[in-house]
Amino acid sequence: MLKLTLPFPPSINHYWRRVGNRTIISKAGREFRERVVARLKRKNLDPIDGELAVEIQISPPDRRRRDLDNCLKALLDAMQHGGVYHDDFQIACLMIERLPPVKNGNAIVTIRELKLNVEPTSEQTIKSAVRICLKCQKTFDSIGPANRICPICTRINRELGSIPECVLAKERGVKRLNGEVLE
């Protein structure tokens, strides 16, 4: 696990600029990237391999209204250029949270590597990973990339009947073509 405190990123609205028919990173965006890269070089980090889970806590510099998603691009790209990871494509789980304002603002970033265990089965190889449940937000061992709800929440869903029958039928191995059951 890696925890970083970085400067408050510029909004995506101020990150890009058009010059003629080209789109470039603005002066504010380049300065932010340089500050982040300088901080990360002092830490002498090796890039993390594999899938990542990233948690970001943003503390803005003031009480103005801001969209949380507007600061992601600058922050994630700057960490990539600083050598935290090879490519932001590696991020499989991303959570962002707004905290109360602090002087000058900051971003606290926690990065965890998702552990993939390859277990051979009779028919195929299944990748197991630690994931965060979409319902209860607790971590669990997931089998396969589509498994995003923990076994406890899955059981509760089945008992309450909140999973559509077509999904349950698919789980039971019923073959379908365009939503119609094949017999």
Side-chain angles (χ1 to χ4, degrees):
M1 184 174 82
L2 176 64
K3 192 166 188 173
L4 305 167
T5 301
L6 301 173
F8 185 76
S11 168
I12 195 73
N13 300 328
H14 300 126
Y15 189 67
W16 300 109
R17 288 290 172 254
R18 294 281 299 167
V19 178
N21 60 354
R22 296 179 349 160
T23 303
I24 61 170
I25 298 175
S26 68
K27 182 178 180 184
R30 290 189 308 269
E31 289 172 354
F32 170 75
R33 182 185 284 181
E34 289 169 5
R35 286 195 315 265
V36 169
V37 169
R39 276 195 194 183
L40 294 173
K41 278 190 179 180
R42 284 182 283 198
K43 293 188 178 289
N44 199 21
L45 301 171
D46 290 327
I48 303 170
D49 297 321
E51 288 189 333
L52 305 174
V54 178
E55 297 175 22
I56 302 171
Q57 296 175 318
I58 296 286
S59 294
D62 53 43
R63 295 201 173 274
R64 286 187 291 164
R65 291 174 52 127
R66 291 179 169 84
D67 293 343
L68 280 178
D69 60 332
N70 283 351
C71 63
L72 287 175
K73 183 69 176 163
L75 188 59
L76 297 176
D77 282 355
M79 288 191 300
Q80 177 181 330
H81 283 271
V84 174
Y85 42 78
H86 299 287
D87 191 345
D88 51 7
F89 174 77
Q90 293 174 250
I91 300 171
C93 180
L94 179 63
M95 187 181 92
I96 186 165
E97 175 183 16
R98 182 184 4 250
L99 298 180
V102 296
K103 185 178 180 185
N104 298 326
N106 68 24
I108 300 169
V109 181
T110 305
I111 302 172
R112 290 183 298 114
E113 187 174 358
L114 292 175
K115 303 286 188 230
L116 292 177
N117 301 321
V118 178
E119 300 172 11
T121 63
S122 59
E123 296 180 8
Q124 61 182 1
T125 302
I126 300 175
K127 291 182 181 178
S128 175
V130 176
R131 301 203 189 276
I132 298 172
C133 178
L134 295 175
K135 292 194 94 176
C136 66
Q137 304 300 315
K138 294 180 182 172
T139 58
F140 71 101
D141 289 330
S142 168
I143 297 175
N147 185 8
R148 301 289 189 198
I149 298 178
C150 70
I152 295 168
C153 291
T154 301
R155 193 184 79 233
I156 291 169
N157 284 344
R158 284 187 178 141
E159 290 171 1
L160 297 176
S162 61
I163 295 181
E165 183 59 33
C166 63
V167 174
L168 292 176
K170 186 176 181 184
E171 288 178 4
R172 288 187 219 116
V174 174
K175 294 183 181 179
R176 295 177 172 268
L177 177 63
N178 295 330
E180 300 295 322
V181 177
L182 296 176
E183 294 182 12

